[in-house]
Amino acid sequence: MFNQFRFAALFLLLFSAHLLAQKAYYPPVESWETRTPEQAKFDAEKLKAAIDFAKSSEAKVPRDMELAQAQSFGREPLGEPVGVQKPRGEQTGIIIRNGYIVAEWGEPLRVDMTHSVTKSFLSTVVGIAFDRKMIRSLQDKAGDYAALILPYNPLERFDEYGKSKLLNLFETEHNRQITWEHLLRQTSDWEGTLWGKPDWADRPDRDATTWLTRKRNEVGAVYEYNDTRVNALALAALNVWRKPLPQVLKENVMDEIGASNTWRWFGYENSFVVIDGQIMQSVSGGGHWGGGMFISARDMARFGLLTERNGKWRDKQILSEAFIKQAKTPTVPQPTYGFMNWFLNTNKKYYPNAPASAFVHVGNGTNIIYVDPENDLVIVLRWIEDGKINEFMGKLYASLK
């Protein structure tokens, strides 16, 4: 009898969980239901105060992205753009609770550069390859999967003597030790030049005499944010998928979550390669030198809702919970970083006014997709002063009932 009661209780628990999962709202294609602040359990006046604060905190960088990038990164060596850029729009935001739009302002349908939020889309296509066993383990050496690649662009295809060259991302003794996880956590210390950008030219030391003689860190020991290394991951992932990563993302993620057809993911003018006899562009992981993801705030919010729901969209697991769990695990040398670009609020260090369990996909601008599973919140903020985000979070959480 006791076992029968236990079985019945377990059945009811599982059935209740199933009903709750079925009730979770996911926006259909080309539409998104709204809720009033009161329906979403916000104090309307306090929420308005938080939004007004965001609107008044627009980023001071120029709207011309080439000027903004020059201001952000200074006069880096070899810092000229090699990919497309686009002037940005107005300060924009969307607040989602329980899947519904509670508030939005600015230009939520405008397609803009999202800079390093692109890295989270890159880690997603790597995650899908991992889920499908195309990458057997994230501890595998990335070089075991990346065969020789033939650059298509003449600027990349020939050496200084005019001889054809093949591209091997992991041919040095140091680079051969690098795993997929090292690349995802930005702890690889990958060395080399890719698409005309040496690893040392991204955010280099102020002392120019160290650029060509920089200390090589042990693989996995040091976290360093570096777009050349991110682009190496993108090219390695292209070699695994053997078809353009934007196509992979569209077919396996963006179409599944009902994203629009307005987003684009670009590489550089010289980042074309030949794989299986086909010319393909290797995309960039951000807009540092141009390129990267161009996307609307609405589509960013759909992606944020996917990550907030642990990779599930309605009844389909698009990105495995196992991969997302690793993406949200702190990187040892950098506790507020998981996989690119999942920034973690470990011990409330990133945003003291937000829950420690929150995480955020971040890009220059500042562009963020903020995710709070505890409160079923997804927030997109675009073109806001970075130093104002934590204060905005304090005002937003003060508005929750």
Side-chain angles (χ1 to χ4, degrees):
M1 181 68 70
F2 179 69
N3 285 338
Q4 288 178 330
F5 279 125
R6 287 184 64 185
F7 177 79
L10 179 61
F11 175 80
L12 287 172
L13 181 65
L14 292 173
F15 185 68
S16 298
H18 174 71
L19 287 177
L20 286 172
Q22 291 291 88
K23 290 179 181 178
Y25 172 73
Y26 293 87
V29 178
E30 295 183 351
S31 66
W32 204 320
E33 288 188 35
T34 62
R35 291 290 182 267
T36 65
E38 292 79 6
Q39 289 173 322
K41 307 298 183 185
F42 284 96
D43 180 292
E45 288 188 8
K46 291 182 178 179
L47 180 61
K48 182 180 182 302
I51 293 170
D52 287 344
F53 176 80
K55 291 178 179 178
S56 69
S57 303
E58 181 171 340
K60 295 180 177 62
V61 295
R63 293 200 175 196
D64 183 301
M65 280 293 100
E66 188 167 354
L67 292 176
Q69 293 290 75
Q71 193 175 101
S72 296
F73 298 107
R75 294 184 178 278
E76 291 182 340
L78 305 173
E80 63 280 353
V82 286
V84 293
Q85 294 178 310
K86 179 180 186 287
R88 70 169 178 85
E90 296 178 9
Q91 203 277 322
T92 295
I94 304 178
I95 297 173
I96 311 289
R97 192 165 199 202
N98 303 322
Y100 300 97
I101 293 177
V102 181
E104 60 182 346
W105 62 94
E107 300 177 277
L109 298 180
R110 177 188 169 95
V111 174
D112 264 342
M113 297 178 72
T114 197
H115 298 285
S116 284
V117 175
T118 308
K119 294 174 175 59
S120 292
F121 292 100
L122 174 57
S123 63
T124 296
V125 297
V126 173
I128 294 171
F130 168 73
D131 291 341
R132 296 186 181 183
K133 308 301 181 186
M134 298 165 72
I135 297 173
R136 295 178 295 276
S137 169
L138 297 180
Q139 283 68 52
D140 281 356
K141 301 291 193 299
D144 291 345
Y145 294 75
L148 295 172
I149 297 169
L150 178 66
Y152 178 74
N153 191 291
L155 295 177
E156 299 291 328
R157 192 169 184 173
F158 301 104
D159 63 19
E160 61 270 32
Y161 304 106
K163 295 181 179 179
S164 295
K165 62 179 181 181
L166 292 172
L167 187 59
N168 187 337
L169 294 173
F170 304 99
E171 64 183 341
T172 70
E173 182 178 351
H174 174 87
N175 288 350
R176 281 196 293 271
Q177 303 173 54
I178 295 171
T179 67
W180 291 101
E181 183 162 1
H182 293 140
L183 291 167
L184 287 164
R185 295 193 181 279
Q186 301 225 50
T187 59
S188 71
D189 206 57
W190 182 89
E191 59 184 8
T193 297
L194 185 59
W195 316 134
K197 306 296 183 182
D199 66 273
W200 53 263
D202 184 355
R203 303 165 179 86
D205 191 275
R206 289 180 179 274
D207 182 3
T209 64
T210 67
W211 291 351
L212 299 181
T213 59
R214 71 167 183 87
K215 175 189 174 184
R216 294 297 186 268
N217 298 299
E218 181 183 349
V219 172
V222 175
Y223 164 87
E224 185 177 356
Y225 205 87
N226 186 289
D227 277 58
T228 295
R229 293 168 188 154
V230 173
N231 293 336
L233 171 61
L235 182 53
L238 176 62
N239 198 70
V240 170
W241 277 102
R242 311 190 78 78
K243 61 182 177 179
L245 297 189
Q247 181 183 345
V248 174
L249 184 71
K250 174 178 168 54
E251 293 172 352
N252 296 285
V253 179
M254 304 303 272
D255 286 352
E256 295 285 354
I257 65 177
S260 73
N261 287 325
T262 62
W263 63 272
R264 298 291 184 271
W265 190 0
F266 298 110
Y268 302 141
E269 297 163 0
N270 58 341
S271 65
F272 289 88
V273 296
V274 180
I275 296 180
D276 298 334
Q278 301 295 315
I279 300 170
M280 303 177 193
Q281 187 181 42
S282 186
V283 289
S284 66
H288 188 157
W289 298 297
M293 182 71 78
F294 289 56
I295 191 171
S296 71
R298 280 281 189 98
D299 284 345
M300 290 169 70
R302 285 178 181 268
F303 179 76
L305 188 60
L306 174 69
T307 61
E308 194 261 335
R309 299 276 170 86
N310 276 320
K312 189 173 185 179
W313 197 265
R314 296 191 182 90
D315 58 352
K316 185 169 184 178
Q317 196 72 40
I318 294 173
L319 190 61
S320 72
E321 290 187 18
F323 184 81
I324 287 182
K325 182 179 180 181
Q326 292 185 72
K328 295 194 292 185
T329 301
T331 296
V332 174
Q334 179 55 277
T336 58
Y337 199 75
F339 286 170
M340 62 175 71
N341 237 31
W342 300 57
F343 282 85
L344 313 175
N345 202 27
T346 308
N347 297 324
K348 295 193 172 187
K349 288 183 177 179
Y350 205 75
Y351 296 135
N353 288 334
S357 59
F359 59 94
V360 60
H361 310 283
V362 180
N364 193 28
T366 297
N367 285 263
I368 70 167
I369 306 173
Y370 173 84
V371 180
D372 173 7
E374 277 186 38
N375 293 288
D376 206 353
L377 270 172
V378 174
I379 302 168
V380 175
L381 292 174
R382 311 195 77 175
W383 320 120
I384 185 171
E385 281 290 302
D386 189 64
K388 300 291 187 179
I389 296 174
N390 183 60
E391 190 172 352
F392 166 81
M393 292 300 172
K395 294 179 183 297
L396 177 86
Y397 279 104
S399 73
L400 286 178
K401 292 181 178 179

